[in-house]
Amino acid sequence: MASWQAATLARFIAFKIKRKPTSQDEMKIVRQARQKLGHMPGYVQPAIPEDLHIRTVSLTTLDGDIIRGEWLAWKTDYPPATVLYLHGGGYVTCSPLTHRPITVTLATLLRGRVFALDYRLAPEHRFPAALDDAVAAYRWLIEGQQMAPRQLVLAGDSAGGGLTLSTLVRLRELGLPQPAGAVLYSPWTDLAGTGETLETNTDRDVMFYGAGIRLAGRIYAGDTPPDHPLVSPLYADLHGLPPLLVFASSSEVLLDDARRLAARAEAAGVSVELHIEADLPHVWPLFCRLIPEGRRTLAATAAFIRRAVNHASSSNSQHPGPSIHDYRLAASTAVTAH
């Protein structure tokens, strides 16, 4: 059962955010999403610890695109882990700033580093722009910043959770070394919208209707089929991916995206932990300042990251693969800092 704090928050979110889709117009949908979700009120945002340094970084890709992100680094000479964080927002809204409740808390719990990527958004930049940016950022971390993949973990929520999984698949296709693990909060893995809980949870979900999720999928996919395995990683070959930690709420419309992903990953031989929490809002770690479930989930995330990094560091089975430049999606496979 959800805490009273979470139950109160759920009612507030339903009142402020949940609306039935009334238009098929893409730009109207995007404007509404950006208005509702594109900023976080101050009472949700965390306090910044004195020993946590935050700075904006710009990256230039091979094809001249500018990728921006936010470094959150704990003041230490030997950070135990680095997280590449991919925010949610349906691929159309949100930013590293909106997701500071997660990134600040993780950097603080780990006494480590988080790089929150400000990837390009649709419909101005449709698939594969966000994926190209995520792969470019990962390459910058391991090549430009000389970070060992065994000390890296990818994480993301909602659309960013699906993007995290697509990034892992793309890294494998490129022959790049996998990170130590990945964490997915309420991941959106099926933009084709075939999950049963899009219907069965449409009234229970306090943030979204299933019909709205189906409309949103086409905005990112554009002319690409929504079941393309790099758009909807639920349909991808998942073999060879690192350990996954997946969270979802029993009442959210994307519950089946998480459950089916976990089943497919396990069938592919991937180590996966699936945690289904009762009656919590979509991506509840964002509200860690307000609800105990958010704090517990982020503490469990930090513990998983430590285990994954320690296991990868002590294992002899992780060897970097060859560096392969593949321009089938875009030329943004390497980046330099400036």
Side-chain angles (χ1 to χ4, degrees):
M1 179 181 294
S3 67
W4 69 265
Q5 295 97 324
T8 302
L9 174 67
R11 289 192 293 271
F12 179 77
I13 290 174
F15 174 75
K16 293 289 288 185
I17 294 178
K18 188 171 183 178
R19 299 290 185 275
K20 287 185 177 180
T22 58
S23 173
Q24 299 284 322
D25 181 78
E26 285 190 0
M27 287 312 302
K28 184 175 181 180
I29 294 171
V30 170
R31 284 195 299 270
Q32 290 175 343
R34 290 175 178 174
Q35 182 180 17
K36 292 178 184 177
L37 305 174
H39 62 90
M40 277 287 178
Y43 58 81
V44 175
Q45 290 286 10
I48 308 300
E50 183 178 343
D51 287 335
L52 183 65
H53 296 171
I54 300 178
R55 64 186 176 93
T56 300
V57 175
S58 294
L59 316 174
T60 304
T61 68
L62 289 177
D63 57 3
D65 291 320
I66 303 297
I67 304 172
R68 293 180 174 84
E70 189 171 77
W71 259 121
L72 302 95
W74 195 260
K75 188 177 179 181
T76 177
D77 293 331
Y78 302 101
T82 297
V83 177
L84 171 56
Y85 196 85
L86 306 176
H87 68 78
Y91 293 105
V92 302
T93 188
C94 295
S95 68
L97 183 59
T98 60
H99 282 63
R100 276 189 181 179
I102 293 176
T103 57
V104 167
T105 304
L106 285 180
T108 301
L109 289 172
L110 291 168
R111 297 299 194 266
R113 298 177 294 193
V114 176
F115 182 64
L117 177 64
D118 196 8
Y119 58 84
R120 290 171 291 172
L121 300 176
E124 295 86 354
H125 305 282
R126 302 183 195 264
F127 173 82
L131 179 60
D132 289 339
D133 291 353
V135 172
Y138 184 83
R139 294 199 69 153
W140 174 71
L141 289 171
I142 65 172
E143 296 173 359
Q145 300 297 299
Q146 301 297 307
M147 294 183 187
R150 64 180 180 272
Q151 290 186 300
L152 273 171
V153 169
L154 267 60
D157 64 277
S158 196
L163 180 58
T164 294
L165 196 64
S166 295
T167 301
L168 296 176
V169 173
R170 186 66 178 144
L171 294 176
R172 189 196 62 213
E173 290 179 351
L174 292 170
L176 292 167
Q178 292 285 318
V183 182
L184 315 177
Y185 304 120
S186 301
W188 188 21
T189 64
D190 179 14
L191 276 67
T194 65
E196 290 185 6
T197 52
L198 288 180
E199 302 298 336
T200 59
N201 276 350
T202 198
D203 292 327
R204 296 178 64 199
D205 191 311
V206 299
M207 195 172 291
F208 302 120
Y209 286 95
I213 296 296
R214 290 194 175 98
L215 284 174
R218 73 184 187 200
I219 298 175
Y220 173 60
D223 294 331
T224 305
D227 61 353
H228 187 292
L230 292 178
V231 173
S232 296
L234 178 67
Y235 304 106
D237 176 2
L238 302 178
H239 83 273
L241 300 191
L244 304 177
L245 176 63
V246 184
F247 292 94
S249 169
S250 65
S251 58
E252 64 176 317
V253 292
L254 292 182
L255 172 60
D256 267 356
D257 282 41
R259 290 196 299 207
R260 291 180 294 160
L261 163 64
R264 286 182 54 84
E266 186 175 17
V270 176
S271 173
V272 56
E273 297 179 34
L274 173 62
H275 296 266
I276 299 175
E277 305 292 342
D279 299 321
L280 295 179
H282 178 68
V283 194
W284 65 91
L286 274 173
F287 308 103
C288 59
R289 191 173 180 182
L290 305 178
I291 62 173
E293 293 91 341
R295 296 188 289 275
R296 287 200 297 266
T297 296
L298 290 173
T301 298
F304 169 84
I305 291 172
R306 293 188 196 98
R307 291 196 305 271
V309 168
N310 289 339
H311 177 76
S313 297
S314 63
S315 173
N316 294 323
S317 62
Q318 286 225 345
H319 297 287
S323 179
I324 299 174
H325 290 269
D326 187 324
Y327 295 90
R328 285 175 294 175
L329 293 183
S332 55
T333 54
V335 294
T336 55
H338 68 80

